[in-house]
Structure formats: C-alpha cells, structure tokens
Amino acid sequence: MTPDARHAKHRLSLTPELRAAVRRIAATDHLLVAMDFDGTMAPIVGHADDARPLPRSAAAFTGLAVLPRTTTALISGRALASLRAVASPPVDTLLIGSHGAEAWLGPGSTGLTLDAEQKARLAEVRAILADIVNEAPGTLLEDKPAGVVLHTRLAADDVAADAVAAARSQLEDRQGVFLKDGKRVLETSVVNASKGEGVTFLRQITGATAVLFAGDDTTDEDALARLEAGDVGVKVGLDFTQAEHRVEAPVHVAELLEVLLQERSVAVAEEETGTASD
C-alpha cells in the first residue's frame, strides 16, 4: 500500500477560502513556494532517516519547480545533508537547513563555518546532552553543523519531559546557545537563526512577489510570522497557529500543491500567450 493510500481515509477537500487564496497567489508575477518537510511534505516517522515525501506532494512540487517565474524551496530544521537525503528535492529547489543556519542557493554556495568559540561551545552542548541521553531511555541525539537535537519521540512521556527539563536547566542561560522547542524535540544551536529569517532571505534573493509557505511545527510559526500581505500561510495540523489557513495532515498538503500546480500552470500559460484577464 502506498503512503498516499494509507492516508486516504483522512483526505478532506481544501476549504473554499484556501482554494481562493491559492488561485489568487498563483497569478503573482514571481511565486516562491516554500515548504517545511517533516510533517508537511512527509508524514512524521519514528526515525528521521525513514522520512520520505508523499509521492503526490513530490510530483506536484517537481512540477512547480520547472514552471517559469516560480521558485521552490524547502525550509527545514534538518541539516542540509539530511534534507537532501530524505527529500530528494528537484535540482533547482533552494534549501534552507538547520532552522536557517544553513543555506544552499545553487552551485557555488558555501557551507556553514563555525569559529573556534562556536566549535568549543557546540562540543560542550553535545557533552551535556549526551549525559542526559545516557540516563533517559528512548531519547537520542542528532548532530547538525551548528547544533545538536535532543529527540524524545521514542521515549515515555515522563522520561521525555524530564530529559527536556534537564537540558533546559543546563543550557537555557548559557551565552551563545539558542534553544527551540519542536514536536518531541529540543533543538540547540550555537548560531541564532530561524525559519522566519529563511523566508525573508529567500524572498529577497529571488525577488518573489508573493510567498506560499506551509509548515506543521512550532518552529514554523517563525516563518508564518514573516509572511506579508498577499502571501499565503498554511498550518498543517490542529495546533495553535497564526496562519490564516489550515489543513489537517500531509495528505492535504499534496492536494494543496496539486491545486497550486494546476492554477499556476494556467496563470503562467495565460501570461505567456497574452490572454491573462485584467
């Protein structure tokens, strides 16, 4: 059974308001389609390396990537190497990783470089979290170029809560260490960055006249907060959000991208043939 089929029972139509917003933004001059990955393009899984985009989402995203005046981007908490491995993004898709600390903007992009102080601070953070993981069954660490992630998804609820509390008690007042809460994760970084900064940066470098962003996690609220009038923000899931629109699950993101691809294809074709309506 395909991932799409497994999630078919949750399929709901997009709201009329969201469809109208997609139709409107599809007509913009230069469209930036920026998507979170885990929980948005791909269902959440127990092991990060097992995540893959739903086939329908991947197909629609690839279709958008080749349209004129359309830029696709992934904005993820994952390190860039991990994001490439699981997402297999279209060749021209721009990538923001590690919550904005890493960026790939095409051939020639330089990688993230930490100074000596940041490297020493990162080693200290990892040692502290490693000690916590050793005492908290079901927790594990994920290394990133600028930080370390404490994963608690496989731990019992009380163990997870205690592990996060222990990490916070030792790290939250440490100078030069930045913490972000996610879904059953605590992100640490020695670089102060956010998905919101990622959205703003991508808008500037692409010259986008409108942005569609979708994400499911608390860290995606930073990106949603940076959207401007005329943009479209979509929350995936039922948690609190400042987004104007919402879908329930990644399968609905697939539908969203398919509708956007259809509307954008029509808008681009009309513009190129000079038949767009006033």
Side-chain angles (χ1 to χ4, degrees):
M1 182 179 294
T2 67
D4 289 329
R6 285 197 296 271
H7 291 268
K9 64 181 180 180
H10 300 297
R11 187 170 295 128
L12 300 172
S13 296
L14 307 182
T15 65
E17 293 80 9
L18 179 51
R19 286 180 176 273
V22 169
R23 191 175 305 114
R24 171 183 54 77
I25 202 172
T28 196
D29 182 54
H30 190 124
L31 175 63
L32 171 61
V33 184
M35 307 294 290
D36 172 47
F37 183 72
D38 295 282
T40 301
M41 295 282 289
I44 295 292
V45 294
H47 296 279
D49 291 344
D50 294 335
R52 294 293 184 275
L54 291 179
R56 288 172 53 207
S57 290
F61 197 63
T62 298
L64 287 161
V66 299
L67 289 180
R69 306 191 317 280
T70 306
T71 301
T72 53
L74 293 176
I75 303 180
S76 175
R78 287 179 180 263
L80 286 186
S82 172
L83 183 59
R84 286 193 187 95
V86 298
S88 299
V91 63
D92 292 328
T93 293
L94 307 183
L95 304 176
I96 299 291
S98 299
H99 297 285
E102 295 184 277
W104 185 85
L105 308 176
S109 290
T110 58
L112 175 68
T113 301
L114 302 181
D115 60 30
E117 185 177 350
Q118 289 173 319
K119 290 178 180 178
R121 189 176 296 128
L122 180 57
E124 293 173 358
V125 169
R126 196 188 194 289
I128 289 170
L129 292 178
D131 287 341
I132 292 172
V133 165
N134 288 338
E135 300 295 327
T139 64
L140 55 89
L141 298 183
E142 176 192 357
D143 291 302
K144 295 183 179 181
V148 184
V149 185
L150 173 63
H151 288 267
T152 64
R153 188 167 288 119
L154 302 179
D157 289 346
D158 58 339
V159 173
D162 288 346
V164 170
R168 280 197 164 278
S169 69
Q170 297 187 63
L171 296 175
E172 62 186 353
D173 295 325
R174 190 171 292 250
Q175 184 176 6
V177 177
F178 307 96
L179 306 182
K180 294 180 184 293
D181 287 306
K183 291 184 176 179
R184 301 290 291 216
V185 299
L186 178 67
E187 301 265 358
T188 73
S189 179
V190 296
V191 174
N192 191 13
S194 72
K195 291 183 178 181
E197 292 170 344
V199 164
T200 298
F201 177 61
L202 290 176
R203 187 198 301 273
Q204 291 171 344
I205 66 167
T206 61
T209 52
V211 178
L212 183 144
F213 176 81
D216 74 304
D217 211 339
T218 53
T219 57
D220 294 310
E221 293 298 314
D222 292 333
L224 291 166
R226 294 292 187 98
L227 297 183
E228 301 176 358
D231 294 339
V232 175
V234 181
K235 176 72 171 186
V236 184
L238 304 179
D239 294 339
F240 172 81
T241 184
Q242 57 197 304
E244 185 176 357
H245 305 282
R246 184 192 298 274
V247 296
E248 187 176 351
V251 68
H252 308 124
V253 175
E255 183 180 359
L256 170 68
L257 290 171
E258 288 171 344
V259 172
L260 179 61
L261 175 60
Q262 179 180 14
E263 295 289 347
R264 182 64 174 167
S265 298
V266 170
V268 167
E270 289 180 343
E271 181 67 25
E272 290 188 341
T273 60
T275 59
S277 58
D278 293 335

